[in-house]
Amino acid sequence: MQQRDTVDDIAEQWARNRPDLPLEAMALIGRLRRLNVRVDNALRDYFLTCGLDPSEFDVLATLRRSGEPYELNARALLKSAMVTSGAITNRVDKLSAKGLVERNPCATDRRAVLVRLTPAGKDLIDAALPGHIRNEESLLTALDADERAQLDTLLRKLLIAHGDTEPLIG
């Protein structure tokens, strides 16, 4: 018999009280949401050991993966983070105060500002990445390689169906 999770209990309650409703989507979305909370908590806990919060890690990682000179404009950071411009400004302010990023004027557009990793920011993100990947691996240990590939394919299909197809940088 398959082990039960909390969502099974929730779905049973709904089935008893509203047997007229199809519950498959509710159960699946419920599992995704509950898993998201657990993943977010595990990521947050790891980032705290690096002296960062998840949003700061996101900015540093985005700059690092952009390649040398590890510099992007605010628009590129916005596309990657899917937050408001005010949120990006706040993140960059915090990272700048920590000496992990710096703002530089754009040579080709006087109105634009470029955000660049400092050497300390690059060192921190490079040191944090291996532990971050180990943390993510530990979150997936219940799945074998074939199950991971299948889940990856299905999640990609859902993201594409909901329009998550624009390149982030470039």
Side-chain angles (χ1 to χ4, degrees):
M1 186 168 130
Q2 187 174 5
Q3 188 173 359
R4 295 174 53 81
D5 66 9
T6 304
V7 175
D8 290 321
D9 294 335
I10 293 168
E12 278 184 9
Q13 290 171 339
W14 278 117
R16 277 194 309 272
N17 290 287
R18 286 297 307 268
D20 58 310
L21 295 175
L23 300 174
E24 294 82 9
M26 181 188 279
L28 183 56
I29 297 298
R31 284 187 174 96
L32 287 171
R33 291 181 68 196
R34 292 178 71 83
L35 183 60
N36 186 55
V37 169
R38 293 183 181 276
V39 168
D40 282 349
N41 288 341
L43 296 178
R44 184 198 65 237
D45 291 348
Y46 173 72
F47 297 144
L48 286 173
T49 69
C50 302
L52 299 168
D53 67 33
S55 65
E56 292 170 325
F57 180 89
D58 184 47
V59 171
L60 295 178
T62 300
L63 291 169
R64 178 63 175 96
R65 75 173 185 260
S66 72
E68 288 193 55
Y70 314 116
E71 177 180 79
L72 294 170
N73 62 33
R75 183 172 175 259
L77 288 172
L78 279 169
K79 284 178 73 173
S80 175
M82 297 189 318
V83 296
T84 66
S85 61
I88 287 294
T89 299
N90 184 41
R91 292 175 185 186
V92 171
D93 287 347
K94 287 169 56 179
L95 290 166
S96 180
K98 291 181 176 184
L100 302 174
V101 301
E102 60 187 14
R103 290 181 172 96
N104 297 308
C106 179
T108 59
D109 182 353
R110 292 185 329 206
R111 299 167 295 163
V113 174
L114 298 173
V115 179
R116 178 185 288 206
L117 278 179
T118 63
K122 182 180 178 294
D123 289 346
L124 178 58
I125 193 67
D126 283 347
L129 279 169
H132 171 57
I133 291 169
R134 284 191 303 275
N135 189 32
E136 289 181 325
E137 287 284 337
S138 74
L139 293 166
L140 298 172
T141 57
L143 303 178
D144 65 31
D146 289 339
E147 291 168 327
R148 288 182 188 196
Q150 182 180 13
L151 180 59
D152 186 60
T153 297
L154 294 171
L155 292 173
R156 179 182 298 108
K157 184 176 183 177
L158 281 172
L159 284 170
I160 290 168
H162 290 278
D164 194 20
T165 58
E166 276 189 51
L168 296 177
I169 301 170

